[in-house]
Every structure is written in C-alpha cells, then in structure tokens.
C-alpha cells in the first residue's frame, strides 16, 4: 500500500474518551492472556489500562443523543443499548443519564420497526434504508441491535413502548429475520448479497484483496491508482472469491448492478 497513513493523538486539549476507553478495554484482557508467560508485561498492561480508563472517565462526552445509524465509526448506539440492559436488569434507575441512554436506544429501535416519531425509510422490498453508500452495513447492524434488545426485553419480561404502540420481543426478532432474509436472497432481485452464498451472488465486490491477483501470479507493485484503474474497473469476476463478505447492497429502489 502506498497510501499515506496519518497518525493523531489524544490529550487534555484533544480528548477522545471513546478511543481511550476502547484501548483500555483491549489492554485489560490482554494482561490476562500474557500473565502466565510474562507477569511483568501483564502488570504493565494493567497500569496503562487504568491510566487510559481514568483519562476516558475524566474526559467524558455526552450520551450521544438519538442516533440515525450504528456503524464502525459511530458506536454511540451500542453504548446506549448496553446501558439499557443495566436499567432493564434493575441495576440502575431508569432516570437521569441512564434513562437518557435507554430512551435514545429505544428511539432508534422504534424507528426501525416503523413505530417511532421519525421512522427510517424502507425499500419496496422491505430493506431498511439509511444511506446510499454501503447501506447493508447499516441495515445489518440495525438487525443486530433489534435481536439483542429482543433478548434483553425477554429476560426482563418486558415490552417496548413506542409512540406507535407496544412492541414485543418477537416483533424485534421478526424484524431482524426479515433483514437477514433480504440479504440472503428474499428480495426483488432474487439474489444473495453475501459473496459465496446461494447460486446467484456478487462476483465483483469492491475489495482490494479480492479484486487483485495474488503476488504469486503477478509480483509487480500495484499502486492505489493501479488498483482502481487496472483491477477494480475490470469487467470480470474477482480473481479471489471473498466468501462470506456482504457487499454494499442495492439502491433505495432495490436495484443492484454487479460491477
């Protein structure tokens, strides 16, 4: 890869509670894994995990507000759902900041199941529609949230009270299943959007590793521009099948062109 990889830092003037907390969460279990073979290194990991956790706690942001999607670069909804679990379990009161977390998580879920005040769009074929670029990642994570929240409600023997009416745990499971079924072939195109699944699936996924032949077949350097012009734009199936990958998916009219 010849693309520049810039680095950034967080400090008191440029806080990043999410990054600090995620790193602390990685270092802490790593200390457990290393302790049997290198106790000194494990102790060092614990020290830094505590430092990062304190930094995150002392430079906390807000609750995130109600989110419009759940993705790899916006994880607020995940935190809100986990906080909701603690409220449903009775470990925290459903008021104050904890109540805000739960309310914001449920606003998202109600909008997914079409019983909110500002429901997310759905295609004619039934796919939740969030954004034009790589929409399936958002519908997939919305399905994950719905399925997880269904379990939390079931364990708490509770239901979800949306502006448009009550929602049972089974309703959320049905929503998640409908989205998974769409991805795997029950859609207007009748094709699977998971590479390698079914008899008709995308063969030209937008993925550098899948689009370019192995270095064993062609040892020449491939620049970023070459990767796009020579390989990605080549009208032929990818030389490497990316089994299990889910492509960006169809447009808001359920249309899809494999190119």
């Amino acid at each position: 890869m010849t693309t520049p990889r810039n680095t950034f830092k967080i400090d008191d003037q440029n806080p990043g509670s999410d990054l600090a907390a995620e790193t602390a969460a990685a270092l802490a279990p790593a200390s457990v894994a290393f302790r049997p073979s290198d106790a000194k290194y494990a102790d060092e990991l614990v020290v830094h995990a505590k430092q990062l956790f304190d930094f995150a706690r002392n430079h906390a942001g807000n609750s995130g507000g109600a989110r419009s999607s759940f993705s790899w670069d916006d994880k607020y909804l995940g935190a809100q759902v986990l906080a909701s679990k603690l409220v449903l379990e009775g470990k925290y009161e459903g008021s104050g900041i904890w109540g805000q977390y739960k309310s914001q998580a449920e606003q998202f879920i109600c909008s997914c199941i079409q019983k909110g005040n500002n429901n997310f769009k759905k295609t004619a074929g039934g796919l939740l529609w969030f954004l034009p670029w790589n929409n399936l990642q958002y519908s997939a994570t919305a399905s994950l949230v719905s399925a997880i929240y269904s379990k939390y409600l079931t364990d708490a023997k509770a239901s979800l009270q949306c502006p448009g009416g009550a929602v049972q745990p089974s309703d959320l499971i049905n929503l998640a299943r409908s989205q998974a079924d769409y991805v795997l072939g029950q859609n207007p195109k009748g094709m699977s959007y998971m590479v390698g699944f079914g008899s008709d699936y995308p063969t030209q996924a937008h993925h550098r590793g899948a689009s370019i032949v192995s270095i064993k077949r062609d040892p020449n350097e491939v620049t970023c521009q070459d990767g796009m012009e020579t390989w990605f734009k080549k009208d032929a199936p990818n030389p490497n099948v990316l089994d299990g990958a889910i492509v960006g998916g169809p447009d808001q009219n359920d249309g899809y062109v494999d190119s």
Side-chain angles (χ1 to χ4, degrees):
M1 293 290 289
T2 56
T3 304
R5 292 293 188 264
N6 298 325
T7 58
F8 301 89
K9 70 174 182 178
I10 56 175
D11 53 28
D12 291 344
Q13 287 69 47
N14 301 281
S17 57
D18 51 351
L19 179 59
E22 286 180 357
T23 306
L27 295 182
S31 72
V32 177
F34 279 103
R35 188 161 299 283
S37 59
D38 193 338
K40 182 178 179 181
Y41 181 55
D43 289 340
E44 185 178 350
L45 291 174
V46 171
V47 168
H48 292 310
K50 289 180 177 179
Q51 291 172 337
L52 286 166
F53 181 79
D54 287 340
F55 179 91
R57 183 172 56 186
N58 295 326
H59 296 80
N62 55 38
S63 63
R67 313 311 291 174
S68 59
S69 66
F70 180 32
S71 66
W72 70 286
D73 57 356
D74 184 350
K75 303 182 180 70
Y76 274 117
L77 180 62
Q80 293 165 354
V81 168
L82 290 174
S84 301
K85 177 177 184 287
L86 298 177
V87 174
L88 288 167
E89 291 174 342
K91 295 179 179 178
Y92 288 91
E93 294 290 333
S95 58
I97 188 65
W98 294 95
Q100 289 181 39
Y101 285 137
K102 184 172 181 290
S103 174
Q104 289 157 359
E106 292 181 345
Q107 284 182 54
F108 178 88
I109 296 169
C110 288
S111 295
C112 285
I113 206 161
Q114 309 297 291
K115 288 192 175 184
N117 288 323
N118 188 23
N119 295 328
F120 298 123
K121 295 179 180 178
K122 294 182 79 173
T123 68
L127 178 68
L128 282 169
W129 182 260
F130 295 91
L131 292 169
W133 180 252
N134 286 338
N135 179 69
L136 282 187
Q137 68 172 304
Y138 305 111
S139 57
T141 52
S143 301
L144 173 65
V145 167
S146 298
I148 289 174
Y149 212 74
S150 171
K151 183 180 186 306
Y152 294 166
L153 290 174
T154 298
D155 292 344
K157 296 181 173 57
S159 60
L160 173 59
Q161 302 303 315
C162 293
V167 174
Q168 302 302 321
S170 59
D171 297 326
L172 298 182
I173 288 295
N174 290 337
L175 171 64
R177 182 180 292 114
S178 72
Q179 299 304 292
D181 287 343
Y182 186 106
V183 171
L184 297 179
Q186 291 185 23
N187 54 65
K189 296 288 289 186
M191 68 178 294
S192 165
Y193 291 112
M194 177 181 284
V195 177
F197 183 87
S199 59
D200 184 13
Y201 54 82
T203 62
Q204 299 185 53
H206 184 177
H207 185 275
R208 188 178 180 88
S211 301
I212 303 174
V213 295
S214 168
I215 193 172
K216 294 180 180 179
R217 288 180 54 190
D218 186 348
N220 293 318
E221 179 185 4
V222 179
T223 66
C224 282
Q225 190 64 28
D226 291 335
M228 177 66 70
E229 297 298 327
T230 304
W231 293 103
F232 174 66
K233 292 185 178 180
K234 189 174 184 178
D235 189 18
N238 290 341
N240 307 308
V241 179
L242 202 62
D243 282 322
I246 295 177
V247 296
D251 59 28
Q252 58 187 333
N253 298 312
D254 297 300
Y256 181 78
V257 177
D258 185 20
S259 63

